[in-house]
Amino acid sequence: MIQVPDYVVKAIELLEKGGFEAYCVGGCVRDSLLGCEPSDWDVCTSATPEEMKVCFEGLRTIDTGIRHGTLTVIVDRNPLEITTYRTDGAYASHRRPVSVNFIRELSGDISRRDFTVNAMCCDKNGAVTDMFGGTEDLSRKIIRCVGDPEERFEEDALRIMRALRFASTLSFEIEKETADALFSKKNLLEYISVERVFSELKKLICGRNAAKVLDDYKEIIASVIPEITPCFGFEQHNVHHCYDVWTHIVKSVGNVRKDERLRLAMLFHDIGKPSMARFDEDGTGHFKGHQIKSAEMLTEILDRFHCDNATLAYVRDLVIEHDNRIPIARKNVKRFMAKHSFDFFMDYLEVRRADTMAQSDYLRQEKLDELEKLAMIAVEVNNENCCLKVTDLAVDGKDMISLGMSGRQIGAMLQRLLDLVVDDKLENDRNVLLEYAKERIR
Ligand code: ATP
Ligand code: MG
């Protein structure tokens, strides 16, 4: 039995009082049956949006997607999305239906849903209605299309990415017929907007089982990121590595914390390797400059996905730095933190740890010990509130002007002072800094 929250029960009761049916549906039912907290509750009903508004008289409603039958109602301060039972009209270009038809029977609405585990509903008391074997698939941990998989992917190709996303986040297997259709219909993904593909891709790589899904379905990932194809099976011929580039990449994705930027960084950190590979006479592989090449490639890819600039810049910096093995010394850590930030430094260490754990075990313990030491220094520096930015200096631009500097000279001097302070060559003391600056302008 599912525990339906009070505010959802209230909304359902108001609809029932008006003579309509209403059920919780989709992700909330799936997650509840899995024993985890649903991210949100969705309700479906036989009432049209106009009829819903009559039932919810006195409550605030928002016209979220009236044309598609969706109304948001605020119950006890909680927004709740309620959608009229519907079937989809014709699909144009393998994406969203051009029109929807409101219907009065639950079964029609359930059969338009993508996967059996997403096609269950429950009433206000938590009693589950399962028309397509969703509970059994949940217990067997299986993603299976409702109806014929090829047809369902033809209708809306985004479902291809959604299948991979759920396999990753729920750690489920994809049923054979559904999996076959994923491969045979993968080219239809080109009809889907880059934003929707990227949104699913990010959820996929942040899932528990991302490594396995990225590996098992690499050809599908390659249909949205063709640049990864040369990584498949590309052997590295180097003692530090025991996997081909793609296998190494997917393992590193799985090793890092489930954070969007960290996971994107791992996904892209080595994609430039195949094009930068050089082999010694003895066959040993080297990949000098691959981090820059990977950064260039990811910039193009993330731009294509209309990724926001802040994420893109952060991921690019992590990739550029991922192979920067800074010597263990306070000075180097401070410089690095001055260039980026403490948080960035800690993320960089996480990237290096995930990378190391996806390499051969050659010198692994030594590599990990090194990262541990760097982390300890960084925490120490951070706790001391060291001067790391121009704004942390005991002097500012006005001081430089009063010393007679102007224009570019000001910024350049402040930067010079900062470099010296970071390197512990000058004390961050107002008089010391003024003295130093005064001598240099004469
Ligand atoms: P979560 O909200 O946790 O990401 P969810 O299952 O609720 O997962 P949503 O994208 O919120 O996913 O969609 C809600 C429900 O709508 C799904 O459970 C599914 O029943 C249905 N659905 C969503 N997208 C599609 C689609 N492209 N094709 C068919 N049904 C879909
Ligand atoms: Mg949802």
Side-chain angles (χ1 to χ4, degrees), residues 11 33 200 256 263 279 283 287 309 326 332 344 348 391 401:
L33 290 174
E200 290 297 334
V256 89
R263 293 229 157 172
F279 296 94
F287 307 92
N309 290 334
I326 59 173
N332 300 313
F344 181 91
Y348 150 83
T391 49
I401 293 170

Side-chain angles (χ1 to χ4, degrees), residues 127-144:
V128 174
T129 303
D130 172 16
M131 300 174 187
F132 294 99
T135 37
E136 199 192 329
D137 285 345
L138 260 192
S139 66
R140 293 174 57 207
K141 295 176 175 286
I142 285 173
I143 300 295
R144 179 201 310 269

Side-chain angles (χ1 to χ4, degrees), residues 140-378:
R140 293 174 57 207
K141 295 176 175 286
I142 285 173
I143 300 295
R144 179 201 310 269
C145 281
V146 170
D148 179 71
E150 294 203 350
E151 276 174 31
R152 302 312 307 279
F153 297 147
E154 285 269 350
E155 289 171 353
D156 179 358
L158 184 71
R159 292 170 188 155
I160 296 171
M161 290 302 290
R162 287 175 59 86
L164 301 188
R165 188 250 283 201
F166 288 116
S168 171
T169 56
L170 302 174
S171 215
F172 279 23
E173 293 288 332
I174 301 174
E175 172 271 333
K176 172 91 171 58
E177 219 183 306
T178 299
D180 288 346
L182 289 174
F183 286 105
S184 65
K185 297 294 172 192
K186 68 180 192 318
N187 293 340
L188 296 177
L189 277 167
E190 69 177 276
Y191 292 96
I192 306 300
S193 77
V194 287
E195 288 85 356
R196 295 175 81 206
V197 169
F198 190 46
S199 156
E200 290 297 334
L201 179 70
K202 285 187 288 188
K203 291 180 187 163
L204 186 174
I205 62 172
C206 289
R208 279 192 274 171
N209 212 18
K212 184 167 161 36
V213 172
L214 288 172
D215 207 21
D216 290 353
Y217 298 95
K218 53 179 172 293
E219 292 82 3
I220 294 163
I221 307 298
S223 67
V224 291
I225 316 178
E227 291 91 338
I228 60 173
T229 312
C231 300
F232 301 166
F234 196 97
E235 293 298 340
Q236 308 200 52
H237 302 288
N238 186 300
V239 281
H240 294 284
H241 287 280
C242 56
Y243 303 114
D244 66 83
V245 176
W246 184 247
T247 309
H248 163 72
I249 285 177
V250 302
K251 284 185 185 290
S252 75
V253 170
N255 287 341
V256 89
R257 183 158 50 93
K258 296 187 195 72
D259 168 89
E260 213 170 89
R261 296 184 299 183
L262 292 177
R263 293 229 157 172
L264 283 170
M266 296 329 294
L267 180 65
F268 295 125
H269 79 287
D270 273 352
I271 50 170
K273 268 190 169 177
S275 61
M276 300 304 279
R278 299 290 173 269
F279 296 94
D280 284 349
E281 273 156 30
D282 69 356
T284 307
H286 300 281
F287 307 92
K288 201 161 175 284
H290 78 277
Q291 65 278 40
I292 303 296
K293 181 72 186 169
S294 299
E296 279 168 19
M297 292 171 73
L298 78 85
T299 302
E300 205 176 302
I301 295 164
L302 290 181
D303 260 340
R304 199 167 71 218
F305 279 130
H306 298 171
C307 174
D308 66 280
N309 290 334
T311 303
L312 195 159
Y314 200 85
V315 172
R316 182 175 48 209
D317 283 348
L318 281 174
V319 169
I320 289 174
E321 300 286 11
H322 87 268
D323 210 28
N324 178 5
R325 277 156 293 188
I326 59 173
I328 305 170
R330 232 178 106 85
K331 194 170 81 177
N332 300 313
V333 174
K334 281 179 76 183
R335 270 201 208 143
F336 196 112
M337 283 170 57
K339 185 172 166 197
H340 298 284
S341 67
F342 171 70
D343 290 340
F344 181 91
F345 189 81
M346 298 313 271
D347 281 350
Y348 150 83
L349 292 180
E350 282 197 51
V351 164
R352 284 191 56 191
R353 226 172 271 129
D355 191 2
T356 303
M357 294 304 291
Q359 297 174 354
S360 68
D361 53 17
Y362 175 67
L363 297 180
R364 177 178 291 175
Q365 200 49 52
E366 288 81 348
K367 293 175 189 172
L368 296 176
D369 290 346
E370 213 178 294
L371 298 178
E372 201 51 47
K373 284 183 194 140
L374 289 170
M376 274 159 50
I377 298 175

Side-chain angles (χ1 to χ4, degrees), residues 26-27 30 39 112-114 118 156 159 162 165-166:
R30 177 198 70 220
S39 53
R112 78 174 165 87
R113 293 176 183 270
D114 48 9
N118 287 346
D156 179 358
R159 292 170 188 155
R162 287 175 59 86
R165 188 250 283 201
F166 288 116

